Amino acid sequence: SWLERDQFEAGKRRAQARKEARKKLKNFEIPLDPDIEKQALTMLREAYPLLNIPSLANPHAILVSQTKQQNCEIAQPQTKNLANQIFGGFLMRRAFELAYATAYVFGGARPRFLEVDKVAFSIPVNVGDLTNYQSRVVYTEVKDEIRDFNAFRGQKN
């Protein structure tokens, strides 16, 4: 019918507009927030002894490159969607699980998930494709919750 053709064409135009927007974002540089830039410079200053004079560095410090973990797997047919491609939610879950494990290993405590900023899928994943997930720890902050714990009762005060 004419209504279905019209809806199909509108969907096609929306998909094309999204593709063009993704292409523009790939070459676009987002300016850093001044607070984030200040934190990054502080981290670089702290990393200098670790890179150049390891014997004088903080023994609890570790470089971001040394926190890398990865996981590879082949996309299976049971995770495909109606378009015969791998469901994006499945891919996001696998990425989250690796990130959680990496944060747990290098953070020294169970991580607390706050938010996801943005997820962009650049190309579709088909059944049989090899997926490679990589994660790194950029910053950790461990809060001391033990001081509020009553060891005799096993409860928080």
Side-chain angles (χ1 to χ4, degrees), residues 134-148:
Q134 296 179 359
S135 67
R136 289 183 178 90
V137 175
V138 177
Y139 180 77
T140 61
E141 183 177 310
V142 178
K143 301 204 185 237
D144 186 15
E145 292 189 14
I146 295 176
R147 65 174 175 218
D148 293 334

Side-chain angles (χ1 to χ4, degrees), residues 72-130:
C72 293
E73 63 183 43
I74 296 175
Q76 300 296 321
Q78 60 264 29
T79 59
K80 70 180 178 179
N81 59 17
L82 296 175
N84 288 326
Q85 295 169 340
I86 302 304
F87 177 58
F90 175 79
L91 299 171
M92 290 185 340
R93 179 177 177 151
R94 288 291 194 220
F96 170 78
E97 288 172 349
L98 179 63
Y100 188 91
T102 305
Y104 203 160
V105 167
F106 291 101
R110 186 172 289 181
R112 186 168 52 110
F113 179 73
L114 296 177
E115 71 180 276
V116 172
D117 187 25
K118 182 179 179 182
V119 176
F121 297 100
S122 55
I123 58 173
V125 177
N126 297 311
V127 174
D129 286 352
L130 181 67

Side-chain angles (χ1 to χ4, degrees), residues 16-28:
Q16 188 62 33
R18 281 196 301 264
K19 282 183 183 179
E20 290 173 11
R22 277 197 303 267
K23 285 181 184 176
K24 288 179 184 175
L25 281 177
K26 283 185 180 181
N27 298 329
F28 181 72

Side-chain angles (χ1 to χ4, degrees), residues 30-39:
I30 300 171
L32 284 179
D33 180 19
D35 293 335
I36 294 174
E37 193 169 357
K38 183 178 176 183
Q39 180 70 27

Side-chain angles (χ1 to χ4, degrees), residues 35-84:
D35 293 335
I36 294 174
E37 193 169 357
K38 183 178 176 183
Q39 180 70 27
L41 290 173
T42 302
M43 290 170 68
L44 280 172
R45 267 189 250 110
E46 290 174 4
Y48 180 79
L50 196 58
L51 287 168
N52 298 308
I53 316 166
S55 61
L56 299 178
N58 179 352
H60 300 292
I62 186 167
L63 295 172
V64 171
S65 61
Q66 295 172 333
T67 67
K68 178 182 174 184
Q69 291 197 2
Q70 69 179 26
N71 183 14
C72 293
E73 63 183 43
I74 296 175
Q76 300 296 321
Q78 60 264 29
T79 59
K80 70 180 178 179
N81 59 17
L82 296 175
N84 288 326

Side-chain angles (χ1 to χ4, degrees), residues 4-15:
E4 290 174 327
R5 253 186 273 123
D6 199 31
Q7 289 175 340
F8 180 77
E9 290 299 322
K12 213 172 171 180
R13 286 192 300 273
R14 281 193 306 271

